Amino acid sequence: ELVTGMAFATVEQKQITDNTEVNPTLWREWAAMFVGNQEVDISESIEASVATVQPLSALPPKAEGDTAVLDKAAFEDYVNSAGQWQRKAAEEFPDLPTPGLDFDAAIEAANHMQTFREANLSFVDQLNEGVDMVDGRPVNYRLGMIVAALLSREFAEEPPPGPPPMPEVPLRLVMSGKPFSGKKTLAARLAEAYNLQVVDLEEVLHECLMLSKRPDASQPAINVLSFTTDAMDDHCKKHEDGGNPFVKQMQEIGYEIQDILDRGDALTDDIYVRLVTTKIRSLFSEHIPGNKGSEEPKIEEVEEKAEEEEEAPQAEPSAELEELPESGSADGSASEALEEPSADLTTAPGGPTDRRLSGAPGSTQDGSGGEDAPGEAEADESAEDDEGAAELGQEAAAEADEAQEPLEDATMLGADAESGAASAPEPFGWLLVGFPDNADRFQLLEKSLSGWVEESAKPIPEATKQKERAALIAPAPPQEPPPFELIVGGYDLHFRLDIHGDEVLRRAFGLHRDPATSLTYHLEDHPPSSKHQVIYERLTPINDIHNSMGTLTSRIHAFDISQPELDYMLGFFGPFRDCLRLTVVDANKTQDEVYDSIDEHVAGLIERRQEDRDRQLAEEAAAAEAAKAAEEPPADAEGAPGDESDSKDEVSADMRAQTPVELPPVTLEDLSKKVEDMEETLFKLILQQFQEMQGEFEKDSHELFVWHRAFLADFRSGFHGIQRRFLEFLQRPDDKQRHVDLFIQTFNAFSEEYPDMRKQDKTKEELHQRADDLQDKLVAEIDEDRQESLDHLDEIDKSGWVEAQVDVLAAQVQHAVQMEAKRYHAACQLMCDYYYAAMGAGLPPHKEMRVINVLGEEEKPEEVPDPKAKAKSKAKAKAKAAVQEEPQEVESKGNKKRKYVESKRDEATGEETPGHWEFPFLNELMEKAKQIIWPLEEFVAPASAEKLDDVETDPKAKAKGKAKAKAKANSPPPDATPAAAPQLSPFYVDYQQGLAMERLTFLHRLATIHNWGYRRLLSLSVSASEAFSQCRDWVLLRRAQQMAAVDGLIEILKEHIESDPPELITSRLVLDGAHLHRHRNVQLQPIPIPDPD
């Protein structure tokens, strides 16, 4: 629709302007509307242009509709000197110099510096001649830096709320991979080696459902029937009283999950992330800073405890491990009873590989504990059911467990020493398995763990929006992006097990289960250890729809396509600056090789952190020693007496007084710091100045853009209407056809009455003479029509419509200059107030800007009339007015805005200057605008200036001041040393540098407006001249066509006169305007009927 609208608008413009291409300015506006998803409004119709007589936008019209897109695009073009505001040569007269093209910022800066040196300014040598340029235009970065600092302070953004506190543990790992890549097997070995707590999403989900009193129906019957609702509430309350409120939170999440599932909806990624993070908090509640009942232990303390446990004698842990087979737990003893070796999964009771509260059996599905460990000999369902009953805290199950002295699972709900696991070591960290597996889940998890949010997902701060808006008026220096550094984030390492799809299928379809023992085997990797053939006959392949060929293929594909985006996110993180978080491990190797590769990275992480901690401790100790040494008093200096030191001080002071002081340069960062340290009253005042300057400049520019768009539309429509109405005037009816019809009627009547006389020569001569008389009449009418058309065209030309359009465009050029002048004056006033406030010298008085108006009459101050001179001036004025008043008025009205210069030939060189238009008011307007430029001057304290003003306004005070000054001059000075001149502040020098840069910016804007105004006025004048010339050509062309039609008519008439035998004119001859038509089907005489005989 947008493209179609632009196509129709293009056709309309071609019909209105008779040009093959759309006006570049209009096309740029259409492109901006297309980008802004707005349809092009075809407001300039042919019918409206003909009906509206000479439209004129003498004043800025009110904007109709939504013009924000057009105004934004036009404003950006204006401040960037692009589009119609780009300085270029005039296309109408490329050989003539175009105003505004000769401006060069570097040359202007050098000329200004020469002027400052001639003025003998004391600080001129400290000014810099360099010019900051952006896209070929000078910019004042000092003003931009001040404005950016003002907006940053005004719209200071509060820091975003951090994530909920997470446990401070030494190791935080994540392991992901395709199905059957061995995630859970490797996680179990890592957990055993580094004392990690394994967190599995599906098991945590089952746990939440159990806590919310809805067990999983897929679990064994004993797990479903061996719990009560009171036991769950008691269990949550027990941990909440013990300082672990996260178990209760998991129960609440379980209720929420039930509501979602009952509605038939799918669980969202946010629910999964809350499950994982709440589970981690529940496991390490005593390590969460600020948690109720916790001592907020530090990571160093936890690691020191772990080191102490490693150094302690290992007799008790070994004894405990020897008792493991007797405990009857489901951690591997059942496998030994079934003569099934599974040493990889054998851990201490309550260790990280124990089952969760859900009591999920060892299935082969990913996330349930079996699919990633092909060939793993798992515990039978009865053992898992007994363990699940013990974890639920049922009374009967608890009595049975007490008889066997079991240890409660410490990884289930963060249970502490009250469960009986007194010998279990402190948790060393957590390992998240199989989650996150895509970029969306990763971002949610990272936000919950560390508060990190990707830049594109963050809302744009208000300060950034305001600074981007202000940069169009006062551009700030470009800020280099900070160097890229890896972020530590919410966890340390992310292991991805990379495995081929064929290997996944081989591991999945090689799994078999023993119905008698419910143990799972892999016929190739981990076959049954028994040599009896009977066990092989009992094995049945696992036919699970979750692990079927189609399901596995879809899961593998989903995992593969989500990894590139996840890799991009993980590229921002790493435990160290030179170490990425993501580690890709080849899982096609043997299990031991894969484990060794992962173990190497984890061990390296721990070792490097220990080195960093030792280095930090050494630096802190060195810093403490240095601080202690600095506090010790230095030894007393021996030697020089006091008189000699005083004399040396005097000599050095004299040398400093004679040596010129080089002021340190003020950096852009210093300007920003001064804004931060500024008093609130001054800050609000300067900020209000900028906001008023910005609002007024945007308002004036908006009026200019709307006004100029209306002017261009009126000019196009107006000229099209003038041409269309003139064409209609040319085609007005006349009397030529009446003369033709009368001649034909007389000719036919004479031929019918006197047919024989038609053959006589005298008769033919008479008829020829009448035909010539008819031609003379027709030619006379044609000449009369031509003269009337030319007179009508002269009336249109003298109506003043073109001059009115020139007046409107001249007013727009002056509006642009006034708008830019007000912006320049306000910017200089803002810098003046800021720098004086930065120097602590007080604000100087406000300067008034001169009025710039070259198109209207300037206001002159009233003069007191002199009675004697009044009579003399009357006589002189009367005589002078009779001679000069009228010619001067005509000259000023005709030549002030535009005049046409005829072509001239240089007699010396022989070169001819073509005739062209000139616009004298433009140069006068630019000279008026340059008169408001702020001069560079020496520093004067505002307070002293105000005192002088007060003294001058009061005559008595003035006399008193003179007397005091005279008495002070006659009195002897108290000290012979002359008073030193006040030292010039470096901020004042920088202020003068800012004024010089703002002057260059203002002059560049004036040159741009000068060039734009000249090209617009020249295009208008040339277009108007060409349009009126075209209308005159139409008049002459119409006369030529009319004369040709008359000649053709007379030729036809004379052919009938000379016809033999004489013929009547039977076909109708029509002289329609400039065309002659012979209608052969329109008969003037009845067709003779032939005699049948």
PDB file of all heavy atoms in Angstrom, residues 761-785:
ATOM      1  N   ASP A 761     -14.829  32.868 -66.174  1.00  0.00           N
ATOM      2  CA  ASP A 761     -13.589  33.277 -65.497  1.00  0.00           C
ATOM      3  C   ASP A 761     -13.823  34.449 -64.554  1.00  0.00           C
ATOM      4  O   ASP A 761     -13.235  34.514 -63.466  1.00  0.00           O
ATOM      5  CB  ASP A 761     -12.534  33.651 -66.537  1.00  0.00           C
ATOM      6  CG  ASP A 761     -12.105  32.451 -67.365  1.00  0.00           C
ATOM      7  OD1 ASP A 761     -12.274  31.305 -66.867  1.00  0.00           O
ATOM      8  OD2 ASP A 761     -11.589  32.643 -68.470  1.00  0.00           O
ATOM      9  N   LYS A 762     -14.671  35.393 -64.988  1.00  0.00           N
ATOM     10  CA  LYS A 762     -14.928  36.529 -64.093  1.00  0.00           C
ATOM     11  C   LYS A 762     -15.608  36.088 -62.801  1.00  0.00           C
ATOM     12  O   LYS A 762     -15.350  36.632 -61.723  1.00  0.00           O
ATOM     13  CB  LYS A 762     -15.785  37.552 -64.824  1.00  0.00           C
ATOM     14  CG  LYS A 762     -15.061  38.251 -65.968  1.00  0.00           C
ATOM     15  CD  LYS A 762     -15.934  39.328 -66.586  1.00  0.00           C
ATOM     16  CE  LYS A 762     -15.166  40.064 -67.696  1.00  0.00           C
ATOM     17  NZ  LYS A 762     -16.000  41.152 -68.294  1.00  0.00           N
ATOM     18  N   THR A 763     -16.489  35.096 -62.958  1.00  0.00           N
ATOM     19  CA  THR A 763     -17.147  34.585 -61.745  1.00  0.00           C
ATOM     20  C   THR A 763     -16.126  33.926 -60.821  1.00  0.00           C
ATOM     21  O   THR A 763     -16.173  34.098 -59.591  1.00  0.00           O
ATOM     22  CB  THR A 763     -18.249  33.579 -62.125  1.00  0.00           C
ATOM     23  OG1 THR A 763     -19.170  34.213 -63.025  1.00  0.00           O
ATOM     24  CG2 THR A 763     -18.978  33.083 -60.908  1.00  0.00           C
ATOM     25  N   LYS A 764     -15.231  33.186 -61.406  1.00  0.00           N
ATOM     26  CA  LYS A 764     -14.206  32.531 -60.566  1.00  0.00           C
ATOM     27  C   LYS A 764     -13.318  33.558 -59.892  1.00  0.00           C
ATOM     28  O   LYS A 764     -12.934  33.402 -58.712  1.00  0.00           O
ATOM     29  CB  LYS A 764     -13.358  31.596 -61.427  1.00  0.00           C
ATOM     30  CG  LYS A 764     -14.124  30.373 -61.930  1.00  0.00           C
ATOM     31  CD  LYS A 764     -13.218  29.467 -62.754  1.00  0.00           C
ATOM     32  CE  LYS A 764     -13.997  28.245 -63.248  1.00  0.00           C
ATOM     33  NZ  LYS A 764     -13.143  27.330 -64.047  1.00  0.00           N
ATOM     34  N   GLU A 765     -12.976  34.646 -60.642  1.00  0.00           N
ATOM     35  CA  GLU A 765     -12.158  35.680 -60.007  1.00  0.00           C
ATOM     36  C   GLU A 765     -12.896  36.317 -58.834  1.00  0.00           C
ATOM     37  O   GLU A 765     -12.311  36.611 -57.787  1.00  0.00           O
ATOM     38  CB  GLU A 765     -11.808  36.747 -61.048  1.00  0.00           C
ATOM     39  CG  GLU A 765     -10.851  36.253 -62.123  1.00  0.00           C
ATOM     40  CD  GLU A 765     -10.575  37.336 -63.159  1.00  0.00           C
ATOM     41  OE1 GLU A 765     -11.108  38.463 -62.987  1.00  0.00           O
ATOM     42  OE2 GLU A 765      -9.824  37.063 -64.110  1.00  0.00           O
ATOM     43  N   GLU A 766     -14.200  36.539 -59.020  1.00  0.00           N
ATOM     44  CA  GLU A 766     -14.972  37.117 -57.923  1.00  0.00           C
ATOM     45  C   GLU A 766     -15.009  36.178 -56.718  1.00  0.00           C
ATOM     46  O   GLU A 766     -14.881  36.614 -55.562  1.00  0.00           O
ATOM     47  CB  GLU A 766     -16.392  37.418 -58.422  1.00  0.00           C
ATOM     48  CG  GLU A 766     -17.318  37.993 -57.357  1.00  0.00           C
ATOM     49  CD  GLU A 766     -16.880  39.372 -56.916  1.00  0.00           C
ATOM     50  OE1 GLU A 766     -16.150  40.064 -57.671  1.00  0.00           O
ATOM     51  OE2 GLU A 766     -17.240  39.774 -55.789  1.00  0.00           O
ATOM     52  N   LEU A 767     -15.208  34.898 -56.991  1.00  0.00           N
ATOM     53  CA  LEU A 767     -15.238  33.935 -55.874  1.00  0.00           C
ATOM     54  C   LEU A 767     -13.865  33.841 -55.187  1.00  0.00           C
ATOM     55  O   LEU A 767     -13.786  33.737 -53.957  1.00  0.00           O
ATOM     56  CB  LEU A 767     -15.666  32.566 -56.394  1.00  0.00           C
ATOM     57  CG  LEU A 767     -17.127  32.467 -56.870  1.00  0.00           C
ATOM     58  CD1 LEU A 767     -17.411  31.090 -57.443  1.00  0.00           C
ATOM     59  CD2 LEU A 767     -18.098  32.777 -55.738  1.00  0.00           C
ATOM     60  N   HIS A 768     -12.807  33.895 -55.955  1.00  0.00           N
ATOM     61  CA  HIS A 768     -11.473  33.892 -55.343  1.00  0.00           C
ATOM     62  C   HIS A 768     -11.257  35.121 -54.468  1.00  0.00           C
ATOM     63  O   HIS A 768     -10.661  35.046 -53.395  1.00  0.00           O
ATOM     64  CB  HIS A 768     -10.389  33.826 -56.440  1.00  0.00           C
ATOM     65  CG  HIS A 768     -10.146  32.442 -56.961  1.00  0.00           C
ATOM     66  ND1 HIS A 768      -9.532  31.449 -56.245  1.00  0.00           N
ATOM     67  CD2 HIS A 768     -10.451  31.874 -58.176  1.00  0.00           C
ATOM     68  CE1 HIS A 768      -9.453  30.334 -56.954  1.00  0.00           C
ATOM     69  NE2 HIS A 768     -10.020  30.566 -58.170  1.00  0.00           N
ATOM     70  N   GLN A 769     -11.738  36.257 -54.937  1.00  0.00           N
ATOM     71  CA  GLN A 769     -11.600  37.478 -54.148  1.00  0.00           C
ATOM     72  C   GLN A 769     -12.381  37.371 -52.848  1.00  0.00           C
ATOM     73  O   GLN A 769     -11.907  37.813 -51.792  1.00  0.00           O
ATOM     74  CB  GLN A 769     -12.094  38.674 -54.971  1.00  0.00           C
ATOM     75  CG  GLN A 769     -11.921  40.010 -54.272  1.00  0.00           C
ATOM     76  CD  GLN A 769     -10.468  40.327 -54.022  1.00  0.00           C
ATOM     77  OE1 GLN A 769      -9.599  40.067 -54.871  1.00  0.00           O
ATOM     78  NE2 GLN A 769     -10.166  40.885 -52.849  1.00  0.00           N
ATOM     79  N   ARG A 770     -13.564  36.781 -52.886  1.00  0.00           N
ATOM     80  CA  ARG A 770     -14.331  36.591 -51.650  1.00  0.00           C
ATOM     81  C   ARG A 770     -13.629  35.615 -50.696  1.00  0.00           C
ATOM     82  O   ARG A 770     -13.690  35.788 -49.469  1.00  0.00           O
ATOM     83  CB  ARG A 770     -15.729  36.089 -51.995  1.00  0.00           C
ATOM     84  CG  ARG A 770     -16.583  37.144 -52.713  1.00  0.00           C
ATOM     85  CD  ARG A 770     -18.016  36.675 -52.877  1.00  0.00           C
ATOM     86  NE  ARG A 770     -18.833  37.702 -53.535  1.00  0.00           N
ATOM     87  CZ  ARG A 770     -20.140  37.616 -53.699  1.00  0.00           C
ATOM     88  NH1 ARG A 770     -20.771  36.535 -53.224  1.00  0.00           N
ATOM     89  NH2 ARG A 770     -20.800  38.574 -54.309  1.00  0.00           N
ATOM     90  N   ALA A 771     -12.999  34.578 -51.258  1.00  0.00           N
ATOM     91  CA  ALA A 771     -12.236  33.660 -50.408  1.00  0.00           C
ATOM     92  C   ALA A 771     -11.065  34.375 -49.736  1.00  0.00           C
ATOM     93  O   ALA A 771     -10.769  34.163 -48.557  1.00  0.00           O
ATOM     94  CB  ALA A 771     -11.741  32.467 -51.231  1.00  0.00           C
ATOM     95  N   ASP A 772     -10.400  35.276 -50.498  1.00  0.00           N
ATOM     96  CA  ASP A 772      -9.304  36.041 -49.882  1.00  0.00           C
ATOM     97  C   ASP A 772      -9.829  36.987 -48.809  1.00  0.00           C
ATOM     98  O   ASP A 772      -9.184  37.185 -47.770  1.00  0.00           O
ATOM     99  CB  ASP A 772      -8.569  36.836 -50.966  1.00  0.00           C
ATOM    100  CG  ASP A 772      -7.817  35.923 -51.938  1.00  0.00           C
ATOM    101  OD1 ASP A 772      -7.530  34.760 -51.532  1.00  0.00           O
ATOM    102  OD2 ASP A 772      -7.532  36.351 -53.068  1.00  0.00           O
ATOM    103  N   ASP A 773     -10.981  37.575 -49.064  1.00  0.00           N
ATOM    104  CA  ASP A 773     -11.579  38.432 -48.025  1.00  0.00           C
ATOM    105  C   ASP A 773     -11.884  37.629 -46.758  1.00  0.00           C
ATOM    106  O   ASP A 773     -11.705  38.120 -45.635  1.00  0.00           O
ATOM    107  CB  ASP A 773     -12.845  39.089 -48.568  1.00  0.00           C
ATOM    108  CG  ASP A 773     -12.555  40.068 -49.700  1.00  0.00           C
ATOM    109  OD1 ASP A 773     -11.372  40.482 -49.800  1.00  0.00           O
ATOM    110  OD2 ASP A 773     -13.481  40.401 -50.454  1.00  0.00           O
ATOM    111  N   LEU A 774     -12.395  36.404 -46.965  1.00  0.00           N
ATOM    112  CA  LEU A 774     -12.651  35.534 -45.795  1.00  0.00           C
ATOM    113  C   LEU A 774     -11.355  35.246 -45.045  1.00  0.00           C
ATOM    114  O   LEU A 774     -11.329  35.267 -43.804  1.00  0.00           O
ATOM    115  CB  LEU A 774     -13.307  34.236 -46.267  1.00  0.00           C
ATOM    116  CG  LEU A 774     -13.519  33.172 -45.179  1.00  0.00           C
ATOM    117  CD1 LEU A 774     -14.466  33.699 -44.102  1.00  0.00           C
ATOM    118  CD2 LEU A 774     -14.066  31.889 -45.794  1.00  0.00           C
ATOM    119  N   GLN A 775     -10.290  34.995 -45.760  1.00  0.00           N
ATOM    120  CA  GLN A 775      -9.005  34.731 -45.115  1.00  0.00           C
ATOM    121  C   GLN A 775      -8.541  35.942 -44.321  1.00  0.00           C
ATOM    122  O   GLN A 775      -8.010  35.799 -43.210  1.00  0.00           O
ATOM    123  CB  GLN A 775      -7.971  34.342 -46.171  1.00  0.00           C
ATOM    124  CG  GLN A 775      -6.624  33.931 -45.585  1.00  0.00           C
ATOM    125  CD  GLN A 775      -5.650  33.468 -46.639  1.00  0.00           C
ATOM    126  OE1 GLN A 775      -5.918  33.593 -47.839  1.00  0.00           O
ATOM    127  NE2 GLN A 775      -4.537  32.909 -46.203  1.00  0.00           N
ATOM    128  N   ASP A 776      -8.713  37.148 -44.892  1.00  0.00           N
ATOM    129  CA  ASP A 776      -8.303  38.354 -44.168  1.00  0.00           C
ATOM    130  C   ASP A 776      -9.099  38.516 -42.865  1.00  0.00           C
ATOM    131  O   ASP A 776      -8.550  38.917 -41.826  1.00  0.00           O
ATOM    132  CB  ASP A 776      -8.484  39.578 -45.058  1.00  0.00           C
ATOM    133  CG  ASP A 776      -7.537  39.564 -46.256  1.00  0.00           C
ATOM    134  OD1 ASP A 776      -6.527  38.844 -46.179  1.00  0.00           O
ATOM    135  OD2 ASP A 776      -7.831  40.251 -47.255  1.00  0.00           O
ATOM    136  N   LYS A 777     -10.397  38.239 -42.936  1.00  0.00           N
ATOM    137  CA  LYS A 777     -11.202  38.336 -41.707  1.00  0.00           C
ATOM    138  C   LYS A 777     -10.728  37.340 -40.644  1.00  0.00           C
ATOM    139  O   LYS A 777     -10.638  37.676 -39.461  1.00  0.00           O
ATOM    140  CB  LYS A 777     -12.666  38.079 -42.043  1.00  0.00           C
ATOM    141  CG  LYS A 777     -13.327  39.176 -42.861  1.00  0.00           C
ATOM    142  CD  LYS A 777     -14.790  38.838 -43.131  1.00  0.00           C
ATOM    143  CE  LYS A 777     -15.458  39.920 -43.968  1.00  0.00           C
ATOM    144  NZ  LYS A 777     -16.884  39.585 -44.238  1.00  0.00           N
ATOM    145  N   LEU A 778     -10.470  36.114 -41.113  1.00  0.00           N
ATOM    146  CA  LEU A 778     -10.021  35.094 -40.148  1.00  0.00           C
ATOM    147  C   LEU A 778      -8.656  35.452 -39.563  1.00  0.00           C
ATOM    148  O   LEU A 778      -8.431  35.294 -38.346  1.00  0.00           O
ATOM    149  CB  LEU A 778      -9.960  33.725 -40.829  1.00  0.00           C
ATOM    150  CG  LEU A 778     -11.304  33.163 -41.321  1.00  0.00           C
ATOM    151  CD1 LEU A 778     -11.098  31.825 -42.024  1.00  0.00           C
ATOM    152  CD2 LEU A 778     -12.287  33.000 -40.171  1.00  0.00           C
ATOM    153  N   VAL A 779      -7.763  35.942 -40.371  1.00  0.00           N
ATOM    154  CA  VAL A 779      -6.440  36.324 -39.862  1.00  0.00           C
ATOM    155  C   VAL A 779      -6.564  37.486 -38.882  1.00  0.00           C
ATOM    156  O   VAL A 779      -5.860  37.550 -37.864  1.00  0.00           O
ATOM    157  CB  VAL A 779      -5.509  36.678 -41.042  1.00  0.00           C
ATOM    158  CG1 VAL A 779      -4.210  37.298 -40.536  1.00  0.00           C
ATOM    159  CG2 VAL A 779      -5.213  35.446 -41.870  1.00  0.00           C
ATOM    160  N   ALA A 780      -7.431  38.407 -39.179  1.00  0.00           N
ATOM    161  CA  ALA A 780      -7.629  39.533 -38.259  1.00  0.00           C
ATOM    162  C   ALA A 780      -8.133  39.052 -36.906  1.00  0.00           C
ATOM    163  O   ALA A 780      -7.701  39.547 -35.852  1.00  0.00           O
ATOM    164  CB  ALA A 780      -8.599  40.549 -38.889  1.00  0.00           C
ATOM    165  N   GLU A 781      -9.040  38.106 -36.920  1.00  0.00           N
ATOM    166  CA  GLU A 781      -9.522  37.559 -35.639  1.00  0.00           C
ATOM    167  C   GLU A 781      -8.411  36.805 -34.907  1.00  0.00           C
ATOM    168  O   GLU A 781      -8.321  36.873 -33.678  1.00  0.00           O
ATOM    169  CB  GLU A 781     -10.711  36.631 -35.897  1.00  0.00           C
ATOM    170  CG  GLU A 781     -12.003  37.367 -36.177  1.00  0.00           C
ATOM    171  CD  GLU A 781     -13.212  36.543 -35.795  1.00  0.00           C
ATOM    172  OE1 GLU A 781     -13.064  35.599 -34.990  1.00  0.00           O
ATOM    173  OE2 GLU A 781     -14.303  36.833 -36.290  1.00  0.00           O
ATOM    174  N   ILE A 782      -7.591  36.095 -35.652  1.00  0.00           N
ATOM    175  CA  ILE A 782      -6.487  35.364 -35.020  1.00  0.00           C
ATOM    176  C   ILE A 782      -5.521  36.342 -34.350  1.00  0.00           C
ATOM    177  O   ILE A 782      -5.077  36.124 -33.214  1.00  0.00           O
ATOM    178  CB  ILE A 782      -5.770  34.492 -36.067  1.00  0.00           C
ATOM    179  CG1 ILE A 782      -6.692  33.352 -36.518  1.00  0.00           C
ATOM    180  CG2 ILE A 782      -4.473  33.950 -35.513  1.00  0.00           C
ATOM    181  CD1 ILE A 782      -6.129  32.529 -37.653  1.00  0.00           C
ATOM    182  N   ASP A 783      -5.186  37.415 -35.045  1.00  0.00           N
ATOM    183  CA  ASP A 783      -4.276  38.401 -34.445  1.00  0.00           C
ATOM    184  C   ASP A 783      -4.911  39.058 -33.222  1.00  0.00           C
ATOM    185  O   ASP A 783      -4.225  39.348 -32.228  1.00  0.00           O
ATOM    186  CB  ASP A 783      -3.916  39.453 -35.489  1.00  0.00           C
ATOM    187  CG  ASP A 783      -3.045  38.874 -36.603  1.00  0.00           C
ATOM    188  OD1 ASP A 783      -2.412  37.830 -36.354  1.00  0.00           O
ATOM    189  OD2 ASP A 783      -3.014  39.451 -37.706  1.00  0.00           O
ATOM    190  N   GLU A 784      -6.197  39.294 -33.291  1.00  0.00           N
ATOM    191  CA  GLU A 784      -6.863  39.887 -32.139  1.00  0.00           C
ATOM    192  C   GLU A 784      -6.852  38.932 -30.935  1.00  0.00           C
ATOM    193  O   GLU A 784      -6.616  39.358 -29.796  1.00  0.00           O
ATOM    194  CB  GLU A 784      -8.293  40.256 -32.530  1.00  0.00           C
ATOM    195  CG  GLU A 784      -9.049  40.977 -31.417  1.00  0.00           C
ATOM    196  CD  GLU A 784     -10.462  41.338 -31.830  1.00  0.00           C
ATOM    197  OE1 GLU A 784     -10.824  41.090 -33.006  1.00  0.00           O
ATOM    198  OE2 GLU A 784     -11.214  41.850 -30.965  1.00  0.00           O
ATOM    199  N   ASP A 785      -7.082  37.646 -31.198  1.00  0.00           N
ATOM    200  CA  ASP A 785      -7.018  36.653 -30.111  1.00  0.00           C
ATOM    201  C   ASP A 785      -5.614  36.577 -29.521  1.00  0.00           C
ATOM    202  O   ASP A 785      -5.438  36.455 -28.298  1.00  0.00           O
ATOM    203  CB  ASP A 785      -7.447  35.285 -30.629  1.00  0.00           C
ATOM    204  CG  ASP A 785      -8.925  35.247 -30.979  1.00  0.00           C
ATOM    205  OD1 ASP A 785      -9.651  36.173 -30.557  1.00  0.00           O
ATOM    206  OD2 ASP A 785      -9.362  34.295 -31.671  1.00  0.00           O
TER     207      ASP A 785
END
